[in-house]
Amino acid sequence: MITLIINIKELLQVRETSIAKVSGSEMAILPTIKNAFLVINDNLIADFGSMDNLPIINPDKTINATGKIVLPSWCDSHTHIVYAGNREQEFVDRINGLTYEEIANRGGGILNSAKKLNESTEEEIYNQSKARLEEVMHLGTGAIEIKSGYGLTVDGELKMLRVIKRLSQNYPITIKATFLGAHAFPLEYKGNHQEYIDVIINQMLPEIAKNKLADFIDVFCETGYFTVAETEQIMEAGIRFGLKPKIHVNQFNSIGGIQAGIKYNALSVDHLEVVTTEDINALKNTETMPVALPSCSYFLSIPYTSAREILAQGLPLAIATDYNPGSTPSGNMNFVVATACIKMKMTPEEAINAATINGAYAMGISKTHGSITIGKKANLIITKPISSYYQLPYAFGSNLIDAVLIEGEFFK
């Protein structure tokens, strides 16, 4: 089936040849074509260019995009959307003065979500999670990473990963699964960390590998959670079982997690609300993608990732939602792009690059997603008629999306 989109006001993120990522000053450049056309053949981008050069074709369907902008769908490389219930009470607790750490120390936080998840059936978790997935797809997300980490038991972690696999089988969106058994220490292991790490390595990982339930392994490397040494032990084990590391680092403290991730060739290091000059220097000349989570900073009222400093040092940067029940109960990538501009002082060009091509890189899918390139997936956002793409972050509270195409089909 051939679909032709014509009279596109501006076609964004046009890359004639496939690139893996953009870094430093390159992130300020967003290649576009004004008054453009785009041809989709089944689920792939087949051709694009200026309307002046529109070839003679006989499409099965023609879409007139007059006044509208077309861009690649968002690539959300860091989420926790498979969970049970919510943590609304903790939201109110924080308003009343408790910190994220104080809530966690009294049994809230991740342990609260783990309790709810282990008390829920797999079907209940699937039904709650698919509603969230459908919501973010309607908001323009065309590829997503989903983590486990609210089980913290062998059964709970496997249950989460099976739900993620089922979502991947039942929806056209590209989903990457991450095993995050090392999200927190269950209460019964607070006095014996190694015993829980042994459960991760000797019981969880073999089952995950046998059933092909994950692409990546993650660890929450942070004061009060997993130390650098513990993180390295878990990453090393994950690699032995065929999982590439993607790790949580520097959310509240800089303790050497970035350097540990680089040592084990992590695909990404995520959060980075607190970074030092040494952390930034360590990332230079590596293949590891820094990932910022601006709506997490917004929700928790913690510092924002120092985007300007990271880009000034020639590094790449991706942005993602961190959609989860405790610190970011939103998967709206449009808001993430706007917040990156408003609070992190990224230009619209930088933010869109961070949310598309660099987000794809942080999931290992930049060969198929993240740009308008012939042969890539036809995962697209068609906006409503807007004055320019600057309006996307400027009108941060408005839904400016007219239609979303996933694998060349309208998602309804």
Side-chain angles (χ1 to χ4, degrees):
M1 168 144 171
I2 295 176
T3 302
L4 172 64
I5 309 176
I6 58 171
N7 300 322
I8 302 167
K9 180 171 183 172
E10 194 163 7
L11 183 63
L12 307 187
Q13 192 58 283
V14 172
R15 306 281 177 177
E16 294 285 346
T17 56
S18 186
I19 62 167
K21 61 185 176 183
V22 285
S23 306
S25 59
E26 294 173 346
M27 287 193 65
I29 301 166
L30 184 67
T32 75
I33 300 174
K34 293 184 178 177
N35 190 27
F37 73 88
L38 179 72
V39 180
I40 301 167
N41 190 347
D42 291 333
N43 65 337
L44 301 177
I45 296 168
D47 196 11
F48 58 86
S50 167
M51 284 296 292
D52 295 337
N53 301 317
L54 178 65
I56 297 171
I57 55 175
N58 295 304
D60 299 285
K61 181 191 293 183
T62 300
I63 301 164
N64 189 338
T66 298
K68 301 175 181 180
I69 286 171
V70 174
L71 66 154
S73 60
W74 307 124
C75 296
D76 189 354
S77 67
H78 184 126
T79 83
H80 307 250
I81 71 169
V82 170
Y83 60 86
N86 63 63
R87 297 202 331 238
E88 293 169 355
Q89 183 56 52
E90 294 177 13
F91 170 64
V92 177
D93 289 342
R94 279 201 310 279
I95 292 170
N96 287 324
L98 290 179
T99 67
Y100 184 85
E101 295 96 324
E102 286 169 340
I103 291 167
N105 288 337
R106 66 178 200 177
I110 294 164
L111 297 182
N112 183 5
S113 286
K115 183 173 183 292
K116 289 175 179 174
L117 184 125
N118 284 300
E119 290 171 349
S120 303
T121 67
E122 195 163 320
E123 193 66 20
E124 287 170 338
I125 297 163
Y126 175 79
N127 287 330
Q128 292 179 43
S129 301
K130 76 174 186 176
R132 297 180 198 113
L133 183 63
E134 290 172 8
E135 178 193 27
V136 302
M137 291 171 72
H138 282 123
L139 290 167
T141 294
I144 192 167
E145 180 260 18
I146 308 175
K147 303 177 190 294
S148 69
Y150 292 127
L152 306 184
T153 62
V154 176
D155 289 345
E157 289 296 308
L158 293 174
K159 181 163 62 174
M160 290 187 75
L161 290 167
R162 285 194 300 269
V163 167
I164 297 169
K165 187 171 187 175
R166 188 172 161 195
L167 290 170
S168 182
Q169 291 167 339
N170 292 346
Y171 287 87
I173 185 173
T174 295
I175 296 176
K176 289 291 188 175
T178 298
F179 168 52
L180 180 55
H183 201 187
F185 285 97
L187 286 175
E188 61 268 35
Y189 295 103
K190 282 290 183 185
N192 193 340
H193 286 191
Q194 189 57 48
E195 193 175 339
Y196 181 61
I197 292 169
D198 288 343
V199 171
I200 291 172
I201 294 172
N202 299 325
Q203 296 181 48
M204 296 182 187
L205 276 170
E207 286 297 312
I208 290 163
K210 184 174 82 173
N211 294 293
K212 297 180 178 171
L213 291 174
D215 304 289
F216 305 113
I217 188 161
D218 197 345
V219 183
F220 188 13
C221 181
E222 181 55 76
T223 302
Y225 293 86
F226 290 80
T227 66
V228 169
E230 290 165 345
T231 298
E232 291 190 352
Q233 185 184 359
I234 294 162
M235 283 194 290
E236 207 169 83
I239 291 166
R240 286 201 307 271
F241 283 97
L243 305 181
K244 191 169 182 66
K246 270 173 67 74
I247 62 171
H248 285 61
V249 293
N250 293 54
Q251 182 173 4
F252 303 110
N253 302 278
S254 175
I255 62 171
I258 287 175
Q259 290 79 356
I262 292 164
K263 178 179 174 182
Y264 287 91
N265 197 28
L267 180 60
S268 69
V269 285
D270 301 26
H271 270 291
L272 311 182
E273 288 88 345
V274 177
V275 286
T276 65
T277 302
E278 291 74 22
D279 293 328
I280 291 173
N281 287 337
L283 282 162
K284 292 180 181 178
N285 303 311
T286 74
E287 297 303 312
T288 299
M289 176 65 72
V291 179
L293 308 171
S295 48
C296 177
S297 296
Y298 172 84
F299 192 74
L300 292 183
S301 299
I302 60 176
Y304 288 85
T305 303
S306 302
R308 294 265 48 97
E309 190 176 351
I310 288 169
L311 298 184
Q313 295 302 314
L315 292 172
L317 185 65
I319 54 176
T321 64
D322 194 24
Y323 192 175
N324 75 80
S327 62
T328 324
S330 168
N332 189 341
M333 280 293 287
N334 308 285
F335 179 74
V336 167
V337 168
T339 306
C341 294
I342 296 163
K343 293 296 186 180
M344 292 163 56
K345 304 303 180 189
M346 296 179 75
T347 66
E349 292 83 359
E350 290 167 341
I352 291 170
N353 274 322
T356 55
I357 190 66
N358 283 3
Y361 180 93
M363 281 187 271
I365 58 170
S366 51
K367 288 182 179 176
T368 53
H369 294 73
S371 68
I372 303 297
T373 304
I374 291 173
K376 284 196 175 187
K377 297 283 187 184
N379 289 7
L380 308 167
I381 294 169
I382 302 176
T383 72
K384 296 172 181 175
I386 56 177
S387 55
S388 77
Y389 63 82
Y390 289 173
Q391 198 171 347
L392 295 172
Y394 168 75
F396 70 92
S398 301
N399 182 357
L400 300 177
I401 295 174
D402 183 50
V404 176
L405 281 76
I406 307 288
E407 300 268 341
E409 298 283 339
F410 283 96
F411 182 69
K412 302 193 186 224

